[in-house]
Amino acid sequence: MSGRHDKEKGVNVQVLLRCRPFSDDELRSNAPQVVTCNDYQREVAVSQNIAGKHIDRIFTFDKVFGPSAQQRDLYEQAVVPIVNEVLEGFNCTIFAYGQTGTGKTYTMEGECKRSKSGPNGELPPEAGVIPRAVKQIFDTLESQNAEYSVKVTFLELYNEEITDLLAPEEISRVTLEEKQKKQLPLMEDGKGGVLVRGLEEEIVASASEIFTLLERGSAKRRTAETFLNKQSSRSHSLFSITIHIKEATPEGEELIKCGKLNLVDLAGSENISRSGAREGRAREAGEINKSLLTLGRVINALVEHLGHIPYRDSKLTRLLRDSLGGRTKTCIIATVSPAVHCLEETLSTLDYAHRAKNIRNKPEVNQKMMKSTLIKDLYGEIERLKAEVYAAREKNGVYIPKERYYQEESERKAMADQIEQMGVLIETQQKQSEDWRDKYDAQVHQCSDLSTKLSATEKNFNQTIKLLMSTEEELKKCRYSLKERDFIISEQRKAENALAHQACVLRSDLEKALQDNASLYQKIGREDKLSSDNRSVVDNFRTELSQQIVSLCNMVATSISQQNEHLQCVQDLGNSFLDRHRKSIEELKKKLSSSRAVYISHIEAVQNVVRLHNAGSIAGLEEISLLASSSAQTIKDHLASEAGQVSSIFDELQNTLSTHQGEVALFAREMRQRFHVSSEQRKEVSEYMNGFLDKILEQCKSLENHAVQADAVQMKNIADFQKAYEEQSKSDAEKLVADINNLVSNHLQRQKELVDARLVDLRETATGNKAVLDGHVSSMEYVSTDAKRKWQEFSMQTENDAKDIADYSVTKHCRMESLLQQCVSTAGSAFKHWEKTLDSVNEMGNNHVSEIGISYEKCI
Ligand code: ADP
Ligand code: MG
């Protein structure tokens, strides 16, 4: 089962990884380790430092062998099953891939010197895959006691040239130039494979012979010195073991089973630039790279399932074609170094190997051959060889000059190349033709699908025709029935006309009912009128209210005018006070004039005395002068007393004036306050009145709205009622057509009921409206009484206030202040004048005394 499954789906290429231990050089230079192997989890971790970050890349393979793994471990775990499959008749290939110096050759060949091998043909521990595989094959075959033959070939692919590593000494010992000409051509074997013409096939009889062969081959392998590894090989080597085993069928026929194991040691995978190859070796490296690059491209093409796989681009891929995507079982051993200086190559090797994991092969057991056919083939070969030997010995073959031979050879090569190219062409064309065939098949398939669809459609078509016929018949029937129906309809129309007549009669009845309705509408109209009356009452109330408010405003205005009158009175009083004041001043003036008259009379008396004295005698002059001085003294005293009196009068006057002034100021302040208070009260009252008016307006509006709403509701009710009534009457009329007598009575009854119910409804709504209106009116009444009360209170208060203000106004007025000031100033000026007169009187008195003195002296 699984075998078949494998055949269909293919088996992935097995990829192993081997990491070698540090070399002595690396240990000496203390190279850091970057590769860590986890054999059990089959993982390899590579640590990298990218931009200062430590990154671990992890790869998983089918098997992983760390530095500590021995040759024996690798062989037993990885190669033994492969060799067993070879013995079962499969073709298997093992590749070693990796950078130079990572142990490819070590893994494949190992360090096997015959000298090192132990007793009984035991292998040394360093022996690689090749000697171990050969030993296992011989051990198995011998234990099976089977008849067998084992052939090995060992070739080297260098610079796209094939060299036989097992060729006899004499041939291999020619000069390098000749050696290059000795390269072996690759040929198609006619069975889809390739074969190397003239390749030595060595028959091996025992395992121990293998060492001789390996030593011989390895010695011939070309190596070139590079910087990376002194023993590094820059060539690919292919070691093949072919086994033929005889088997006997139960029928007694003898069959030959055939298996082949290819062991490939590839050239170093490193970069040409890094390997340090120079000058003459650049081409060499290029060519080596060509094989490796083509191998990479083939792997890519296989992994990505591309149509064209470039096997033919290099000899390596041509030789190993069957191992890559073919019928061979393939294993790749990738080798890496643990050291940091190989990091780049290690990563590229790991990527490459990881990619190769995805290649799928379809392994097949080689067909067993009948012994007889094999023998026949061999006989044919022997005949051919014999003929060649004969021709060589007898020299009766074709002899041609060397140049011509080379020319022909080159021509042959060119032709072979052409043939190859044509083969490629044929292949592609075959592929194309396969594609075409597939397409053709698809088309044929589509065609058959279409034809089946066509037949189905035809069937459908026939059915449809039948259906159409039956439908036509039905149509005829339908037409007939339609005619019948038309007749019935005409009859029904007649009956309808009769019914319509009866309906007219009914309509007259209904009209009567409508009249009743009209009377009802009238009633509703009266109700409407009532509500409008209500509204007008409310409007009247509003106008009255506004009138009252106007009268109130008038009253306020009159009170203001009264207050103004009061103020006028106050002013008058102030004026009268001023008049009195003026009179008192005039009295004062009169007193002054009287005192002046007294003074004048005194002066006259003095003059009279002086005249008397002058007229008297000189003797009495002494006495007279004494008298004069005494009289002067008395005058002075009199004047002083007069001045004291006058000043006391003035002081008194000033005092009364100042008290007057203070009182006037107080009065003015108080008046101002009272005015303020009264104006604020007035403001309050007007605000309140405004609010009150607004409220009344709002109430009026709401009342109006309510009236409108009630109106609308009533109208709507009426409309509804009308509509319902009409509907009902219509339906009833229809019903009446069906059942006239019965329904007329019923209808009338229902009508009456409906009307009654509606009337009750209307009455209820009317009473509800009335109640609402009453409520509004009562609220209005309440509001108006409240307003009246408030207004009375306010008028009382204003009256009181007015009285108070009148009392205060009677006593004083603010204008008196300025007048009093004038009064005081005039009094002050009078006082000054008085002082001046006093001074002048004094002066005059003194002058008089002095004059008297002079005249007295004259008299003497
Ligand atoms: P390559 O063929 O890849 O260029 P070699 O097989 O010549 O590399 O190996 C290079 C060196 O490393 C040899 O000296 C070999 O003995 C040593 N070597 C490689 N792999 C191992 C291993 N797994 N254990 C011990 N030594 C090894
Ligand atoms: Mg090597």
Side-chain angles (χ1 to χ4, degrees):
M1 273 304 277
S2 71
R4 199 188 299 158
H5 186 69
D6 285 353
K7 228 187 226 172
E8 280 160 10
K9 281 199 70 185
V11 204
N12 278 56
V13 166
Q14 209 188 359
V15 181
L16 320 180
L17 183 101
R18 186 176 201 186
C19 178
R20 72 161 164 78
F22 277 111
S23 67
D24 291 342
D25 278 351
E26 284 163 351
L27 284 175
R28 234 173 283 133
S29 66
N30 248 336
Q33 182 178 350
V34 288
V35 178
T36 22
C37 299
N38 189 334
D39 297 19
Y40 298 103
Q41 297 201 315
R42 300 180 292 166
E43 277 176 0
V44 183
V46 184
S47 43
Q48 268 175 291
N49 266 320
I50 298 170
K53 272 189 191 169
H54 186 83
I55 296 169
D56 263 349
R57 281 188 67 188
I58 292 175
F59 297 84
T60 313
F61 294 100
D62 294 311
K63 282 191 178 78
V64 170
F65 297 94
S68 58
Q70 296 300 304
Q71 295 280 56
R72 187 193 153 107
D73 302 329
L74 181 125
Y75 185 79
E76 281 177 1
Q77 286 177 40
V79 189
V80 168
I82 296 175
V83 172
N84 284 335
E85 280 177 331
V86 171
L87 288 168
E88 275 167 30
F90 281 97
N91 287 350
C92 296
T93 304
I94 300 173
F95 286 99
Y97 178 92
Q99 190 188 358
T100 298
T102 51
K104 294 185 298 293
T105 312
Y106 179 83
T107 303
M108 294 313 266
E109 293 175 19
E111 278 152 12
C112 47
K113 297 265 156 36
R114 188 198 296 274
S115 51
K116 280 189 185 172
S117 61
N120 309 327
E122 247 178 59
L123 293 171
E126 287 89 11
V129 170
I130 296 175
R132 284 177 195 274
V134 173
K135 189 169 185 301
Q136 190 193 342
I137 288 165
F138 278 106
D139 286 352
T140 317
L141 291 176
E142 271 162 20
S143 69
Q144 282 174 357
N145 259 334
E147 251 183 72
Y148 62 87
S149 81
V150 178
K151 283 189 284 184
V152 298
T153 62
F154 198 11
L155 62 82
E156 181 185 44
L157 182 66
Y158 177 79
N159 223 357
E160 288 299 286
E161 286 163 8
I162 296 169
T163 332
D164 190 352
L165 292 180
L166 297 181
E169 293 295 311
E170 50 277 26
I171 299 170
S172 63
R173 220 184 280 144
V174 287
T175 58
L176 195 82
E177 228 173 277
E178 273 172 291
K179 211 175 180 178
Q180 275 178 351
K181 285 172 196 163
K182 276 271 177 248
Q183 50 176 288
L184 305 173
L186 262 185
M187 302 188 66
E188 308 287 328
D189 63 358
K191 295 172 202 161
V194 284
L195 101 193
V196 188
R197 249 257 313 258
L199 187 68
E200 201 71 28
E201 282 187 326
E202 201 82 24
I203 293 175
V204 185
S206 74
S208 56
E209 282 179 43
I210 208 79
F211 297 112
T212 331
L213 289 173
L214 274 180
E215 268 167 27
R216 205 164 91 196
S218 298
K220 279 178 78 177
R221 258 191 102 169
R222 269 179 265 215
T223 54
E225 200 172 314
T226 69
F227 292 155
L228 283 169
N229 191 316
K230 287 180 181 176
Q231 295 299 314
S232 142
S233 165
R234 305 174 51 77
S235 60
H236 313 282
S237 80
L238 168 59
F239 186 90
S240 307
I241 311 172
T242 317
I243 314 160
H244 287 101
I245 307 164
K246 196 168 83 182
E247 272 183 349
T249 55
E251 291 91 49
E253 237 183 317
E254 286 184 324
L255 290 177
I256 306 293
K257 186 164 73 176
C258 178
K260 192 175 179 185
L261 178 64
N262 296 311
L263 299 159
V264 189
D265 181 5
L266 292 169
S269 63
E270 60 272 2
N271 224 316
I272 322 163
S273 57
R274 263 204 83 223
S275 72
R278 297 220 177 86
E279 292 147 25
R281 289 200 189 124
R283 193 185 83 86
E284 193 181 85
E287 291 291 350
I288 290 160
N289 247 29
K290 182 178 175 184
S291 267
L292 269 181
L293 282 175
T294 311
L295 183 66
R297 269 191 237 119
V298 165
I299 288 172
N300 272 351
L302 285 169
V303 169
E304 282 160 22
H305 303 290
L306 300 180
H308 175 66
I309 295 162
Y311 292 115
R312 290 189 161 271
D313 290 3
S314 79
K315 286 197 170 147
L316 179 72
T317 47
R318 277 179 75 189
L319 273 170
L320 298 170
R321 179 184 186 146
D322 204 42
S323 310
L324 299 159
R327 287 164 301 177
T328 304
K329 281 201 168 183
T330 305
C331 171
I332 297 175
I333 301 173
T335 57
V336 293
S337 151
V340 72
H341 62 268
C342 299
L343 177 63
E344 205 180 312
E345 279 307 321
T346 302
L347 279 172
S348 92
T349 302
L350 288 169
D351 279 330
Y352 192 96
H354 202 259
R355 221 172 148 62
K357 257 173 75 174
N358 297 317
I359 302 174
R360 279 176 172 276
N361 283 354
K362 291 163 191 158
E364 259 177 53
V365 186
N366 291 318
Q367 259 190 349
K368 286 170 186 170
M369 276 187 289
M370 302 273 278
K371 193 185 173 186
S372 50
T373 51
L374 186 73
I375 287 170
K376 223 191 226 169
D377 281 359
L378 287 174
Y379 271 132
E381 181 85 22
I382 287 166
E383 282 304 310
R384 198 175 54 77
L385 289 171
K386 260 187 188 168
E388 269 179 27
V389 167
Y390 180 76
R393 197 174 54 213
E394 296 295 310
K395 293 197 170 52
N396 65 356
V398 181
Y399 287 91
I400 46 169
K402 253 193 182 171
E403 290 87 47
R404 184 138 167 236
Y405 169 73
Y406 287 136
Q407 196 187 334
E408 277 180 3
E409 197 73 353
S410 64
E411 274 171 16
R412 224 169 39 130
K413 244 189 197 170
M415 269 164 72
D417 282 351
Q418 254 186 355
I419 287 162
E420 264 180 33
Q421 281 173 6
M422 281 162 104
V424 174
L425 233 157
I426 285 164
E427 224 173 66
T428 53
Q429 278 180 354
Q430 262 175 356
K431 260 193 192 160
Q432 240 183 7
S433 76
E434 268 172 28
D435 282 358
W436 285 115
R437 197 169 294 152
D438 285 352
K439 277 185 189 166
Y440 171 74
D441 287 347
Q443 290 280 347
V444 166
H445 193 70
Q446 237 185 352
C447 241
S448 68
D449 277 4
L450 281 173
S451 64
T452 50
K453 272 185 193 168
L454 188 70
S455 62
T457 320
E458 267 174 6
K459 258 190 201 166
N460 274 347
F461 183 65
N462 287 337
Q463 279 179 354
T464 319
I465 283 171
K466 273 183 200 164
L467 250 166
L468 193 70
M469 294 216 303
S470 64
T471 319
E472 269 172 0
E473 268 177 29
E474 272 178 26
L475 191 71
K476 270 181 197 166
K477 279 181 199 166
C478 282
R479 271 187 195 143
Y480 181 71
S481 62
L482 256 179
K483 271 180 191 168
E484 276 180 354
R485 241 172 248 174
D486 280 350
F487 178 71
I488 291 165
I489 286 164
S490 67
E491 288 297 306
Q492 272 183 347
R493 222 168 258 162
K494 277 176 198 166
E496 264 173 24
N497 285 340
L499 278 171
H501 177 69
Q502 279 185 330
C504 282
V505 176
L506 265 170
R507 199 198 267 167
S508 66
D509 284 355
L510 286 176
E511 271 163 4
K512 267 183 206 166
L514 274 176
Q515 278 176 0
D516 289 351
N517 277 350
S519 66
L520 245 169
Y521 281 144
Q522 280 177 356
K523 269 190 195 171
I524 289 159
R526 262 177 263 147
E527 226 176 67
D528 275 1
K529 207 182 162 195
L530 222 140
S531 66
S532 68
D533 285 352
N534 279 348
R535 210 186 294 165
S536 66
V537 166
V538 169
D539 286 349
N540 288 341
F541 171 72
R542 196 164 57 183
T543 51
E544 263 176 42
L545 203 75
S546 61
Q547 278 172 4
Q548 278 179 0
I549 287 156
V550 166
S551 66
L552 197 79
C553 287
N554 289 338
M555 268 165 69
V556 169
T558 51
S559 79
I560 287 169
S561 66
Q562 277 175 354
Q563 277 181 10
N564 282 341
E565 275 172 22
H566 279 304
L567 287 177
Q568 194 67 40
C569 283
V570 169
Q571 202 175 345
D572 290 353
L573 279 168
N575 286 341
S576 69
F577 170 79
L578 271 179
D579 285 349
R580 258 207 280 169
H581 197 257
R582 214 175 287 143
K583 276 176 195 167
S584 67
I585 287 171
E586 269 167 16
E587 273 174 34
L588 207 76
K589 268 184 191 166
K590 276 178 189 168
K591 272 188 185 175
L592 274 174
S593 59
S594 67
S595 66
R596 203 211 222 147
V598 168
Y599 168 71
I600 288 167
S601 68
H602 275 281
I603 294 256
E604 274 175 2
V606 169
Q607 275 176 350
N608 286 337
V609 168
V610 168
R611 252 182 252 133
L612 275 175
H613 278 267
N614 275 340
S617 62
I618 299 162
L621 270 174
E622 191 91 89
E623 206 180 328
I624 288 163
S625 73
L626 278 172
L627 262 171
S629 65
S630 70
S631 73
Q633 192 62 45
T634 51
I635 286 166
K636 216 182 246 176
D637 288 349
H638 174 74
L639 279 174
S641 71
E642 278 290 310
Q645 223 174 347
V646 167
S647 68
S648 72
I649 287 166
F650 271 108
D651 282 346
E652 211 178 324
L653 193 66
Q654 225 156 1
N655 279 340
T656 51
L657 279 174
S658 65
T659 52
H660 209 127
Q661 196 177 0
E663 261 177 297
V664 165
L666 193 77
F667 162 72
R669 227 180 290 138
E670 221 154 340
M671 279 292 276
R672 226 170 275 143
Q673 273 178 8
R674 297 255 166 176
F675 270 114
H676 266 298
V677 168
S678 71
S679 70
E680 263 165 29
Q681 275 175 345
R682 223 174 355 166
K683 227 185 262 169
E684 239 175 78
V685 168
S686 61
E687 271 171 17
Y688 174 75
M689 282 313 282
N690 279 340
F692 171 64
L693 283 176
D694 287 345
K695 236 191 247 175
I696 284 170
L697 271 175
E698 260 176 38
Q699 288 278 343
C700 285
K701 262 180 202 163
S702 71
L703 204 64
E704 217 168 41
N705 283 342
H706 179 76
V708 169
Q709 276 177 3
D711 219 344
V713 166
Q714 275 181 352
M715 290 309 274
K716 206 188 156 218
N717 278 350
I718 288 158
D720 284 354
F721 170 56
Q722 197 175 2
K723 213 172 149 191
Y725 177 72
E726 269 169 16
E727 277 171 13
Q728 187 69 36
S729 59
K730 217 190 250 173
S731 67
D732 280 0
E734 276 168 10
K735 273 182 194 170
L736 275 169
V737 171
D739 190 1
I740 301 159
N741 289 329
N742 191 23
L743 270 182
V744 164
S745 60
N746 272 359
H747 172 69
L748 285 173
Q749 184 70 31
R750 219 175 297 157
Q751 226 177 14
K752 201 177 170 241
E753 276 170 19
L754 197 77
V755 166
D756 285 348
R758 283 284 161 174
L759 281 176
V760 166
D761 271 4
L762 283 171
R763 219 168 280 149
E764 274 173 12
T765 50
T767 51
N769 284 343
K770 206 183 162 223
V772 170
L773 282 172
D774 286 348
H776 271 286
V777 166
S778 67
S779 72
M780 287 291 286
E781 264 171 21
Y782 172 71
V783 166
S784 53
T785 50
D786 192 16
K788 211 171 166 186
R789 190 171 51 77
K790 284 223 173 142
W791 181 247
Q792 275 171 356
E793 275 173 23
F794 168 65
S795 64
M796 291 279 282
Q797 209 179 348
T798 42
E799 227 167 51
N800 290 341
D801 286 353
K803 263 184 203 162
D804 279 5
I805 290 163
D807 289 342
Y808 274 100
S809 305
V810 165
T811 51
K812 283 142 194 178
H813 190 267
C814 70
R815 252 192 91 188
M816 287 160 78
E817 202 178 353
S818 60
L819 294 173
L820 278 174
Q821 204 68 43
Q822 275 180 1
C823 203
V824 168
S825 66
T826 46
S829 64
F831 183 66
K832 271 179 191 164
H833 188 74
W834 164 250
E835 274 180 343
K836 264 186 200 165
T837 18
L838 191 68
D839 284 349
S840 62
V841 166
N842 278 338
E843 209 177 18
M844 275 166 74
N846 286 338
N847 282 349
H848 188 72
V849 168
S850 62
E851 270 175 33
I852 285 170
I854 292 164
S855 61
Y856 174 72
E857 274 168 20
K858 271 180 187 173
C859 280
I860 293 170

